[in-house]
């Protein structure tokens, strides 16, 4: 009898379908005693380690399918880290040269991961005079390089293929994993692709699902969460798809990241911890709710910052 040929996935096919896990200790009186369930979507389980694997592969694959790019082309992107790592992986899989532009104050682990996948890294000043500094400066430089013919900018901030990855992937997974019981969705807001895409899908299933965005308090620097100046607000962002904004301090988010690792065994980044801070605020206001938050990456990406040493 001939054995059937085993079917092995490619690395691309392992993106998505991440676990949704129930928090056991941190919710305390805000959880079971109130009938609430707080669930974390473990996006660090993606092959390049973050939720950004989804839009990275979406942007490259769909651009290729349209004939906008072809293997061997040079791609350019401004990034604060996770998207860059994911794009570097996707470019390696698909056969593209990747140039990533990144503020110079972000963790060495992120830089090393990008170059490990073969990407070229350009560091820009994290601070400077006027508005154009940090990510704003990086985005301006990416656009200038494209005008100079040095490559094509995928532009995660304006590319509809970014939220589409979550309309077709993350949102349906959450709906299916909760059996349609989800009442609240909480996500950090950076490029806003995750919250925009997941909201689009969940609101189609049940308009009553509440979408809550986590943003940094004034003066707080939380990798992966930010408020943009009006001129740089992501074009993919649709304010009507977010029911509520909550603001998180850097101190609060960092303390929660340490607590998640020590109390729940969930080793995650600072923006994910900020999302949990917001999820707990929501839990304090409601009963019999199913609250899902995005655990957007892994904590090993932040070890050199010392945040887990406190």
């Amino acid at each position: 009898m001939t054995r059937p040929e085993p079917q092995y996935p490619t690395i691309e096919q392992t993106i998505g379908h991440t676990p949704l896990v129930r928090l056991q200790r941190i919710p305390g009186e805000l959880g079971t005693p109130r009938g609430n369930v707080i669930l974390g979507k473990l996006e660090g389980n993606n092959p390049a380690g973050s939720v950004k694997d989804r839009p990275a592969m979406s942007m490259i694959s769909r651009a290729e399918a349209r004939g906008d790019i072809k293997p061997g082309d040079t791609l350019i992107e401004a990034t604060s880290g996770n998207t860059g790592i994911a794009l570097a992986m996707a470019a390696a899989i698909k056969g593209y040269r990747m140039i990533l532009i990144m503020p110079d104050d972000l963790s060495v682990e992120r830089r090393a991961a990008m170059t490990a996948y073969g990407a070229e890294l350009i560091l820009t000043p994290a601070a400077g005079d006027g508005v154009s500094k940090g990510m704003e400066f990086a985005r301006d430089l990416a656009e200038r390089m494209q005008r100079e013919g040095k490559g094509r900018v995928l532009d995660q901030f304006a590319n509809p293929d970014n939220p589409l990855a979550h309309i077709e992937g993350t949102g349906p997974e959450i709906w299916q994993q909760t059996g349609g019981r989800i009442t609240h969705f909480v996500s950090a807001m950076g490029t806003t692709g995750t919250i925009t895409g997941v909201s689009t899908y969940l609101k189609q299933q049940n308009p009553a699902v509440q979408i809550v965005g986590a943003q940094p308090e004034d003066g707080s620097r939380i990798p992966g969460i930010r408020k943009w100046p009006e001129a740089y607000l992501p074009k993919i962002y649709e304010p009507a798809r977010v029911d509520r904004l909550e603001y998180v301090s850097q101190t609060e988010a960092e303390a929660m990241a340490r607590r998640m690792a020590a109390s729940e065994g969930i080793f995650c980044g600072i923006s994910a911890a900020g999302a949990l801070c917001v999820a707990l605020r929501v839990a304090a206001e409601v009963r019999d709710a199913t609250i899902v938050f995005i655990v957007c990456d892994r904590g090993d990406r932040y070890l050199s910052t010392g945040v887990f040493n406190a």
Side-chain angles (χ1 to χ4, degrees):
M1 181 176 176
T2 303
R3 292 183 179 180
E5 187 71 24
Q7 300 296 308
Y8 303 110
T10 65
I11 190 70
E12 179 181 349
Q13 292 169 331
T14 68
I15 295 172
H17 307 289
T18 54
L20 186 69
V21 301
R22 178 176 62 85
L23 270 62
Q24 301 178 76
R25 297 182 180 84
I26 288 177
E29 293 300 312
L30 302 178
T32 302
R34 298 177 67 90
N36 294 328
V37 178
I38 301 178
L39 304 166
K41 182 86 163 129
L42 301 185
E43 290 297 301
N45 284 37
N46 281 305
S50 85
V51 68
K52 300 297 188 179
D53 288 19
R54 298 174 186 262
M57 188 58 71
S58 174
M59 289 189 293
I60 290 180
S61 296
R62 294 175 193 278
E64 186 176 277
R66 289 190 298 267
D68 296 340
I69 58 175
K70 61 184 185 303
D73 286 351
T74 297
L75 307 177
I76 304 171
E77 190 71 13
T79 176
S80 63
N82 282 334
T83 300
I85 295 169
L87 282 171
M89 176 196 70
I93 292 170
K94 293 285 194 178
Y96 290 87
R97 178 179 175 230
M98 191 77 234
I99 300 175
L100 298 166
I101 306 171
M102 174 176 156
D104 61 10
D105 64 338
L106 296 171
S107 69
V108 295
E109 292 92 346
R110 297 201 213 187
R111 302 184 203 180
M114 293 175 198
T115 55
Y117 284 117
E120 177 185 340
L121 186 58
I122 298 175
L123 297 178
T124 63
D129 296 330
V131 174
S132 189
K133 58 184 178 181
M135 273 301 295
E136 290 89 342
F137 183 91
R139 288 171 64 180
D140 289 343
L141 178 56
E143 292 295 334
R144 186 167 76 241
M145 289 178 67
Q146 179 173 249
R147 290 193 299 271
E148 293 170 352
K150 296 179 178 178
R152 183 182 180 92
V153 174
L154 291 166
D155 195 0
Q156 59 181 313
F157 305 98
N159 192 329
D161 294 335
N162 177 345
L164 187 58
H166 303 291
I167 295 171
E168 295 186 348
T170 321
E173 288 174 30
I174 291 170
W175 184 256
Q176 187 261 338
Q177 288 170 318
T178 62
R181 293 177 178 84
I182 181 172
T183 59
H184 298 77
F185 175 74
V186 181
S187 176
M189 294 175 64
T191 64
T192 73
T194 302
I195 199 165
T196 298
V198 172
S199 175
T200 299
Y201 181 83
L202 292 180
K203 293 281 193 180
Q204 288 171 352
Q205 308 310 306
N206 179 6
V209 175
Q210 292 294 291
I211 309 297
V212 186
Q215 291 204 319
E217 286 185 357
D218 289 341
S220 291
R221 288 182 59 82
I222 304 173
I225 315 182
R226 65 164 300 153
K227 288 182 288 187
W228 294 98
E230 188 66 30
Y232 292 88
L233 192 67
K235 293 179 181 178
I236 58 172
Y237 178 48
E238 300 179 42
R241 297 200 181 278
V242 180
D243 296 299
R244 167 178 170 185
L245 297 176
E246 285 287 329
Y247 296 90
V248 183
S249 73
Q250 182 175 345
T251 300
E252 182 183 15
E254 291 178 349
M256 183 58 76
R258 294 188 290 271
R259 189 178 171 195
M260 287 177 71
S263 298
E264 297 282 352
I266 298 175
F267 188 34
C268 69
I270 320 306
S271 59
L276 175 55
C277 292
V278 170
L280 293 172
R281 292 180 200 170
V282 172
E285 303 168 356
V286 298
R287 292 182 179 274
D288 302 317
T290 299
I291 303 166
V292 175
F293 72 101
I294 293 288
V295 183
C296 44
D297 63 2
R298 299 191 299 248
D300 51 10
R301 207 151 275 184
Y302 305 89
L303 288 172
S304 67
T305 68
V307 68
F308 292 102
N309 300 336

